[in-house]
């Protein structure tokens, strides 16, 4: 049975005290409203990670990072390693978010290296893929997503791939208020599962969690999550408000 997961991506928001307050509130909610078999990950800025990890004790609720460096350690001023992330108590890391691909020029090859380094340190990888608007309009979104997965993720052997989650995030839906329709999401999530099946076989594909991200909020989460190949969400803006975020998890 594949896991149902909601991950919050705080991006570069919230000062330390605000982040700890938000995590404390969310933790309180999931202590009173148990997640049971669901999982929730709060992907915070690096600064917050150790503090947030210390606050979280509700079963199924953990912290994650939004990026990591592809090297083990050393002279990489300003960077943060996968081992450092792990040492805070965090369990997951987002790799290949479109904002990192676009603003920081992260290539598929670099993302493949980051993924290996994250897995080597026992972190679960939330690997993002998704097309920009022009690619969707040209009808090449399937090829784009396929290429991102082939180059960034499918080099892994099956036992490593199993520790990864895929997040499909159409770039035109991120932070825009425009959400993929449930049918658009299901179509491409199914396509991704078929790609996984071709590469790793049916059993692995059936057990792969595929999240949807892009303007997912409490008001549209249920219809997106109702699709058979949508196993949860990667939530940006709506993860910054405890009540809204908890409602999204409830919709799962
Ligand atoms: P959004 O961001 O929910 O604010 O659209 C999603 C993401 O970038 O992960």
């Amino acid at each position: 049975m594949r896991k149902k997961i909601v991950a919050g991506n705080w991006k570069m928001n919230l000062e330390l005290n605000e982040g700890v307050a938000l995590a404390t509130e969310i933790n309180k909610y999931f202590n009173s409203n148990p997640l049971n078999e669901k999982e929730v990950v709060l992907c915070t800025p690096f600064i917050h990670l150790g503090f947030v990890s210390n606050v979280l004790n509700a079963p199924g609720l953990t912290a994650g990072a939004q990026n990591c460096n592809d090297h083990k350690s050393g002279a990489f001023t300003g960077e943060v390693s996968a081992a450092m992330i792990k040492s805070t108590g965090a369990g997951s890391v987002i790799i290949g978010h479109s904002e990192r691909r676009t603003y920081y020029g992260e290539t598929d090859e670099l993302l493949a290296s980051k993924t290996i380094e994250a897995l080597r340190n026992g972190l679960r990888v939330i690997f993002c893929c998704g097309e920009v608007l022009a690619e969707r309009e040209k009808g090449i979104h399937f090829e784009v997503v396929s290429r991102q997965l082939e180059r960034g993720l499918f080099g892994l052997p099956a036992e490593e791939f199993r520790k990864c989650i895929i997040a499909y995030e159409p770039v035109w839906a991120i932070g825009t208020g425009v959400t993929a329709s449930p049918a658009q999401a299901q179509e491409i999530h199914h396509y991704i599962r078929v790609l996984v099946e071709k590469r790793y076989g049916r059993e692995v594909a059936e057990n792969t969690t595929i999240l949807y991200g892009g303007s997912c909020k409490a008001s549209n989460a249920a219809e997106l999550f109702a699709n058979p190949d949508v196993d949860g969400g990667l939530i940006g803006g709506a993860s910054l408000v405890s009540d809204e975020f908890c409602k999204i998890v409830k919709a799962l």
Side-chain angles (χ1 to χ4, degrees), residues 9 11 94 97-99 128 169 173-177 213-216 234-239:
N9 175 11
K11 307 194 180 186
I94 297 173
H97 190 280
S98 66
E99 287 151 18
C128 300
E169 298 204 303
I174 296 177
T176 58
S215 297
C216 182
L234 180 54
I235 317 299
S239 73

Side-chain angles (χ1 to χ4, degrees), residues 4-10 39-43 62 92 94 124 126 165 167 169 211-212 225 232-236 239 245 248-249 252:
K4 300 272 186 191
I5 298 173
V6 173
N9 175 11
W10 291 4
E39 276 187 50
V40 171
V41 186
L42 306 182
C43 296
T62 55
S92 309
I94 297 173
R124 176 170 60 184
I126 303 173
I165 292 166
E169 298 204 303
L211 309 181
Y212 169 80
F225 298 163
L234 180 54
I235 317 299
S239 73
F245 184 65
I248 294 172
V249 178
L252 185 62

Side-chain angles (χ1 to χ4, degrees), residues 176-222:
T176 58
V178 179
T179 315
S181 69
Q184 283 174 321
Q186 170 56 25
E187 182 186 39
I188 198 145
H189 278 232
H190 177 70
Y191 172 76
I192 291 169
R193 201 175 303 286
V194 170
L195 291 178
V196 175
E197 182 172 344
K198 282 193 187 137
R199 170 66 180 87
Y200 294 106
R202 195 178 170 88
E203 190 265 329
V204 174
E206 277 307 313
N207 284 297
T208 300
T209 297
I210 308 176
L211 309 181
Y212 169 80
S215 297
C216 182
K217 42 189 185 272
S219 58
N220 60 23

Side-chain angles (χ1 to χ4, degrees), residues 42-91:
L42 306 182
C43 296
T44 80
F46 291 131
I47 297 289
H48 301 52
L49 265 187
F51 295 91
V52 167
S53 288
N54 283 343
V55 158
L56 304 181
N57 65 7
L61 177 62
T62 55
Q66 302 168 13
N67 176 34
C68 71
N69 190 268
D70 58 318
H71 294 91
K72 200 171 165 210
S73 63
F76 301 99
T77 301
E79 288 295 293
V80 174
S81 72
M84 292 173 191
I85 293 168
K86 183 72 180 173
S87 74
T88 67

